[in-house]
């Protein structure tokens, strides 16, 4: 629009100070100005609307002046250049426009008088508007698409025509409009009369235009000719600084760039500790020589291995090489990298001061008394009894040490002599044998066999008569003790003493149903009480039975965790209960918890108490064995890990200072364990012997170990169906 | 009850800071922080527990001592770095605006930092500094051999090569060089300066380029520090030996490739004390040289006569010479005898040449053939008192030319070729001189005596070049003869081999019953078996002597074996009683021992195989 205005030459309209507009004097009337102005502003407002309206307007204007300037492609009337009478300068003069009817192009020639409205309002109607008389202007007939296309093909001026909304028909564009479009397309000034390369006119200094008079009559200020006081002060400051040597002008450059060396260590060293000196790199060995002995050269596989490993994993950063002469040695390609990595080590690697141990590693092994000085202990397998390859889980030795009884998973229970290994009798029970245990009393002789939900009390054959009588009197008394007030879920059923034989159990205890297989039977030292732990039934698994009163009771109503094992204290009325992780110690007389031991084992598998009652060993499936000193702490005194598989059984010898542990790796470890009465001396534990001989079957090794009470002999039962006796 | 302890207010949480926290505290960029760490020698620390030091986080970060960082905060260099940052901004603004004059004046007043105080701080005593110049020397020698490019300025390279020459001059002047090792990486030199061993590595003379995976900025920062350090160290070293530092350089000579020869050592005239010291050295040197002349004549005569008699004489003579010199004899104090012995005497501190080896090559004059590296051998020979000349193609400044009659050895590294058109004079000269390969010189001075030239003559296959630095105690020693046990083993192996060979053709006891019987005797374990074996032997017709011998041998072996086995089993069991910590330590130590043993065994095995092959090859060829 700017160019249009320029073409129209409106001084008031545009005040952007363009030089050519400045001196022009407007000769036209106000009304014309307004008209033009209106037109311009209207166009301005409608910039975002479709172009056709504008073009229409312009075209109309053009038509009014077409007759005057037909030769030029101008929208506006062409100005004449005349010499002004006043200034003597050439000026453009536009022709007068008469304010007649003809001059208003907007009223001309357009039949449709609806004005500037959206024409789609008439889309559904047969007319497109109204003429000046109020008559409908009918929509001109329009062909279909094919006609349109044919028109474009036939009519050569079709591509220079545009659709006129107002009349609803195509209208060819005029030359001026086309020219305008072309200029806009080419980013030129739309005004064809505009000359971008007009000569400069020097308005104030040009020839004959010099200004002689000053613009202002104000007198010259004093500061123009008096030297500045402040400047002087600033300069004096610098001068003084130079004089005092604070500023050195033209400082010599060489002094700062070239470092000056002097004896820096002349004066006393400061007492600040210097940083640790960096460790020196290792000195080269023979392997780095250019001509090493031949044995240093890598073999083919060593070379391959070296090349295969990552750079930082390599033991050496080079491969030894041999050159026949010094002149053949090439440049080392990793030289700069190695230097760089050394520097990275110097400033990026954390440094730790380590004390270098110069000791013989064997001195770390504790000095213990030699096992040969701690004899007797079992060293060899003297005999073995076979159980037809059924896993033997239960094993017990009679209190006099002459008999052993073992039970396997097939339900067979064998009674055999420890000395010769001869099986005397064999019983067959339905289902697995969970545990067997001899009664520790010596005046009577019987053992208990635990199978599914039942405990069978069996009297061995060939007993001397007084013992047999005492046993029968104990287990099947003629007069039964009075039944307890509250009925117990455990039933005691005994066969009559006269009818009893060693073939059948003399007494049978029926545990409550669904209690599962009793895993463990523990006798109290005096042989009156026994406790069983059953596998099933989470909390009611523990029972304490009293033989003399034929009475059973469950000591725990509610227990945290599943109970694995129980033990009677050998001297005190204490009771150990091992859950998966903890061992709890109860006082049965006072019925309270004494202490909780934490062995740190994931799953406890076995436990035994020292005959003195002050020490406890606990073994676990995670291969650990913990020794507790009950006087000392709730934490283990010693944790040993020497078996390669899970521990299965531990047992203290009742008289000798020995204990043994067996494991799934098929070995039995025998220890010397001396305990001192003196509280200050720690127990002495010396590993004595590893007994091997059982084979590992289906991941299970030695399942049970028991000591013979009077000899340093060991009886062991394995998953391979063998029961072995180890003698010293 | 005391005050409640808050977390993170004491202990490791306070003593350590992470790197990012340190950078934040110092308010500088990471690059500046790195630069500061390099210059000040501050390195990360490893806290006992990373979690405790890092507010419970176990993210991988590096930790610094908080005290170190607090100390860094007061560093003048840090201030200068900040000033430099401001300067860089101003300069770029001036350049952007096209204000050339202000840019120029800014450039002229660029902030420059000095590292003098850092050197003094990091090395409070001179000995500390000398102890730590290994890395500095390596870097200087490396950069002296690099080509200059956009990142490494020619002035820097020039400065480095100047430092390298100054160091070599000093070492040559004081005869401080002790050991040289030609490795595949370069040449290792070891010198003894101020009683400290200084080892540095010089690359072979090839043009190297800085690889792209190396951060040059880091190397240049180190170089900045090292240049300052070496400047001060050299100044003190030169001053202590009465020389002017820096030694003036003759640019004309330098341009013609004189190398070390372009520098001239000047005495400090003003200091009377230093002067007297240097004259003493001179006197000392002169005295030796007069005797050396005689020695030379004698050695030439003997070597031409027998060849091997004169091998050790010069070293022995100079050792005798050293004896008559006055020596400080430390009298051990009654209370602490070790202390007195360990005290450095005045003589050791003066770093004067002590042993006879430093004059090892004084009697000889060398000529370098043009394919040998001149800087290496000029430095080596001159530090051991020898004279050396070289052809013009190796650089200017040779003190004599090839036709000089005083030349005793020619260091040559070429295969032997026949020269048919030799003049009589040339042949005569060739006869008089020894043509040795370069390794001879290095091996001589590592051995501390003049070795026989015979194995090192031109065209010969060289004996292996061994490291003079030695290895760890108990490591494999290639010079040692196979030990007794090994020899036994070897013999046994040989026997076994023979037996194996025999075993191929023999089918069973049928063909050679004696052997089988003897074997049975050797394997017999108890009395009964032995008796049975004896009967069998008699039946087979083996005489009793041989039978008894083999039986006794086996008995000895078996007697030894179970005793050892018992002992070992006992120890194995005792290991159960070790605590976890002890066991781990024990296992680590055992692992290391085993690794070293395997390495040694591997080398010995290889050596035996090589020797065996050598023995069999001529047999098969003949």
């Amino acid at each position: 629009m700017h160019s249009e205005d320029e073409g129209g030459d409106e001084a008031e309209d545009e005040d952007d100070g363009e030089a050519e507009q400045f001196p022009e004097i407007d000769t036209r009337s106000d009304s014309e100005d307004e008209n033009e102005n209106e037109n311009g502003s209207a166009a301005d407002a409608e910039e975002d609307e479709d172009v056709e309206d504008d073009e229409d307007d312009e075209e109309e204007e053009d038509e009014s002046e077409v007759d005057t300037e037909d030769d030029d492609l101008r929208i506006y009337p062409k100005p004449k250049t005349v010499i002004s009478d006043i200034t003597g300068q050439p000026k453009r003069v536009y022709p007068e426009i008469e304010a007649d009817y003809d001059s208003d192009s907007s009223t001309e020639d357009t039949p449709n008088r609806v004005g500037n409205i959206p024409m789609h309002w008439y889309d559904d109607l047969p007319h497109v508007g109204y003429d000046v008389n109020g008559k409908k202007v009918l929509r001109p007939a329009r062909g279909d698409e094919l006609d349109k296309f044919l028109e474009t093909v036939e009519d050569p001026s079709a591509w220079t025509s545009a659709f006129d909304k107002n009349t609803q028909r195509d209208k060819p564009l005029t030359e001026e409009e086309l020219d305008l479009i072309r200029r806009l397309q080419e980013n030129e000034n739309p005004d064809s009369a505009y000359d971008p390369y007009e000569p400069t006119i020097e308005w104030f200094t040009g020839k004959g235009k010099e200004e002689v008079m000053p613009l202002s009559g104000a007198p010259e200020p004093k500061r123009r000719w008096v030297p500045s006081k402040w400047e002087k002060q600033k300069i004096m400051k610098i001068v003084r600084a130079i004089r005092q040597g604070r500023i050195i002008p033209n400082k010599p450059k060489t002094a700062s760039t070239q470092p000056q060396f002097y004896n820096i260590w002349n004066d006393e060293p400061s007492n600040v500790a210097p940083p640790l000196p960096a460790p020196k790199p290792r000195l080269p060995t023979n392997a780095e020589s250019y001509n090493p002995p031949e044995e240093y050269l890598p073999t083919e596989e060593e070379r391959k291995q070296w090349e295969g490993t990552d750079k930082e994993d390599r033991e050496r950063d080079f491969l030894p090489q041999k050159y026949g002469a010094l002149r053949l040695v090439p440049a080392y390609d990793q030289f700069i990298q190695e230097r760089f990595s050394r520097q990275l080590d110097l400033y990026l690697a954390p440094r730790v001061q380590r004390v270098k141990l110069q000791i013989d590693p064997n001195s770390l092994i504790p000095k213990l008394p030699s096992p040969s000085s701690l004899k007797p202990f079992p060293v060899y397998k003297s005999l073995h009894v076979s159980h037809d390859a059924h896993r033997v889980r239960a094993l017990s030795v009679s209190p006099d040490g002459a008999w052993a009884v073992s039970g396997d998973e097939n339900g067979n229970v064998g009674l055999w002599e420890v000395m010769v290994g001869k099986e005397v009798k064999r019983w067959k029970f339905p289902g697995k044998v969970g545990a067997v245990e001899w009664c520790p009393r010596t005046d009577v002789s019987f053992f208990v066999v635990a199978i599914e939900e039942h405990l069978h009390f069996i009297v061995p054959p060939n007993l001397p008569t007084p013992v047999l009588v005492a046993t029968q009197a104990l287990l099947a008394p003629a007069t039964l003790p009075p039944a307890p007030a509250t009925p117990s879920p455990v039933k005691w059923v005994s066969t009559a003493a006269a009818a009893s034989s060693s073939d059948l159990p003399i007494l049978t205890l029926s545990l409550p149903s669904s209690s599962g297989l009793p895993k463990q039977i523990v006798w109290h030292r005096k042989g009156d009480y026994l406790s069983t732990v059953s596998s099933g039934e989470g909390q009611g698994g523990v029972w304490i039975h009293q033989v003399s009163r034929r009475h059973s009771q469950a000591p725990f109503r509610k227990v945290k965790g599943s109970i694995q094992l129980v033990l009677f204290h050998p001297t005190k009325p204490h009771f150990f209960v091992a859950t998966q992780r903890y061992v709890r110690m109860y006082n049965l007389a006072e019925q309270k918890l004494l202490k909780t031991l934490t062995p740190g084992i994931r799953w406890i598998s076995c436990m035994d108490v020292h005959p003195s009652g002050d020490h406890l060993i606990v073994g676990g499936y995670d291969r650990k064995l913990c020794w507790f000193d009950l006087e000392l702490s709730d934490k283990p005194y010693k944790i040993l890990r020497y078996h390669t598989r899970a521990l299965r059984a531990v047992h203290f010898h009742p008289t000798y200072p020995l204990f043994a542990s067996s494991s799934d790796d098929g070995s039995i470890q025998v220890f010397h364990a001396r305990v001192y009465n003196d509280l200050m001396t720690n127990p002495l534990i010396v590993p004595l012997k590893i007994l091997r001989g059982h084979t590992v079957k289906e991941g299970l090794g030695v399942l049970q170990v028991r000591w013979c009470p009077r000899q340093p002999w060991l009886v062991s039962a394995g998953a391979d169906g063998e029961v072995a006796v180890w003698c010293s | 009850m005391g005050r409640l302890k808050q977390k993170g207010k004491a202990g490791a949480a306070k003593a350590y800071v992470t790197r990012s926290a340190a950078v934040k505290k110092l308010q500088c960029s990471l690059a500046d922080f790195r630069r500061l760490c390099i210059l000040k020698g501050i390195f990360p620390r490893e806290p006992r527990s990373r979690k405790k030091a890092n507010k419970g986080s176990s993210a991988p970060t590096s930790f610094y001592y908080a005290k170190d960082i607090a100390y860094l905060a007061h560093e003048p260099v840090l201030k200068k770095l900040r000033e430099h940052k401001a300067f860089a901004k101003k300069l770029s603004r001036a350049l952007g605006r096209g204000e050339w004059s202000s840019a120029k004046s800014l450039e002229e007043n660029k902030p420059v930092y000095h590292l003098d105080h850092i050197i003094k701080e990091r090395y409070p005593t001179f000995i500390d500094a000398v102890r730590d110049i290994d890395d500095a020397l390596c870097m200087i020698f490396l950069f002296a051999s690099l080509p200059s490019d956009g990142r490494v300025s020619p002035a820097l390279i020039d400065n480095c090569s100047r430092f390298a020459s100054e160091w070599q001059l000093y070492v040559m002047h004081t005869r401080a060089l002790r050991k040289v090792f030609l490795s595949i990486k370069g040449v290792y030199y070891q010198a003894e300066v101020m009683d400290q061993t200084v080892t540095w590595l010089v690359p072979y003379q090839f043009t190297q380029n800085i690889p792209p995976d190396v951060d040059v900025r880091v190397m240049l920062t180190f170089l900045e520090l090292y240049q300052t350090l070496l400047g001060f160290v050299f100044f003190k070293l030169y001053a202590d030996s009465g020389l002017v530092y820096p030694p003036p350089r003759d640019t004309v000579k330098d341009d013609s490739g004189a190398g070390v020869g372009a520098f001239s050592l000047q005495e400090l005239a003003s200091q009377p004390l230093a002067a007297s010291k240097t004259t003493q050295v001179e006197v000392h040197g002169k005295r030796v040289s007069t005797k050396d002349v005689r020695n030379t004549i004698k050695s030439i005569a003997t070597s031409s006569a027998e060849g091997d008699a004169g091998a050790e004489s010069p070293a022995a003579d100079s050792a005798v010479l050293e004896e008559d010199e006055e020596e400080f004899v430390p009298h051990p104090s009654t209370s602490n005898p070790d202390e007195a012995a360990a005290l450095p005497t005045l003589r050791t501190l003066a770093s004067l040449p002590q042993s006879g080896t430093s004059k090892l090559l004084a009697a000889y004059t060398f000529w370098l053939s043009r394919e040998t590296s001149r800087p290496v051998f000029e430095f080596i020979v001159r530090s051991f008192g020898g004279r050396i000349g070289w052809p013009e193609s190796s650089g200017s400044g040779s003190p004599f030319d090839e036709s000089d009659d005083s030349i005793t050895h020619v260091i040559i590294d070429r295969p032997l070729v026949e020269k048919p058109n030799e003049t009589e004079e040339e042949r005569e000269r060739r006869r008089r001189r020894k043509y040795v390969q370069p390794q001879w010189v290095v091996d001589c001075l590592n051995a501390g005596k003049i070795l026989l030239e015979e194995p090192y003559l031109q065209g010969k296959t060289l004996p292996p070049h061994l490291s003079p630095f030695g290895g760890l105690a108990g490591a494999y020693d290639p010079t040692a003869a196979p030990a007794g046990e090994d020899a036994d083993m070897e013999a046994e192996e040989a026997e076994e081999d023979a037996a194996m060979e025999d075993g191929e053709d023999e089918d069973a006891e049928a063909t050679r019953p004696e052997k089988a019987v003897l074997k049975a005797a050797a394997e017999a374990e108890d009395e009964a078996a032995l008796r049975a074996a004896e009967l069998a032997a008699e039946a087979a017709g083996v005489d009793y002597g041989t039978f008894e011998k083999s039986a006794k041998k086996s008995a000895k072996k078996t007697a030894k074996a179970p005793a050892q086995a018992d002992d070992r089993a006992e120890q194995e069991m005792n290991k159960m009683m070790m605590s976890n910590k002890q066991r781990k330590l024990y296992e680590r130590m055992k692992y290391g021992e085993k690794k070293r043993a395997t390495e040694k065994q591997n080398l010995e095995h290889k050596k035996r195989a090589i020797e065996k092959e050598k023995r069999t090859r001529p047999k098969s060829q003949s």
Side-chain angles (χ1 to χ4, degrees), chain A residues 262 265 280 284 286 288-291 295 297 302 327 338 342-343 348 350-351 359 361 669 687-688, chain B residues 43-44 116 123 131 135 139 183-185 188 232 413 439 463 465 467 476 573 576 586 589 602 606:
Chain A
Y262 52 92
W265 290 284
K280 293 198 173 187
N286 291 333
E288 212 183 303
S289 167
Y290 86 101
N291 181 17
E295 56 264 29
L297 297 180
E302 278 171 343
R327 70 168 192 282
E338 277 183 18
R342 163 78 181 160
Q343 289 176 346
L348 278 184
R351 275 183 224 161
I359 53 168
Q669 175 73 47
L688 293 176
Chain B
F43 47 86
D116 305 10
Y123 308 106
R131 191 186 296 143
D135 287 313
M139 276 291 278
S183 86
I184 52 173
K185 294 184 181 176
Y188 284 92
F232 284 115
D413 199 5
Q439 196 189 319
H465 179 58
S467 163
Y476 171 69
M573 276 199 297
M576 286 174 198
Y586 175 83
M589 288 171 95
N602 187 19
K606 267 189 189 170

Side-chain angles (χ1 to χ4, degrees), chain A residues 556-574:
Chain A
F556 303 112
R557 205 160 290 138
K558 203 174 160 190
V559 185
K560 233 181 177 177
S562 68
I563 293 173
Q564 305 293 312
L565 299 161
V566 294
L567 262 185
F568 285 103
H569 192 279
T571 51
K572 291 173 193 159
H574 293 170

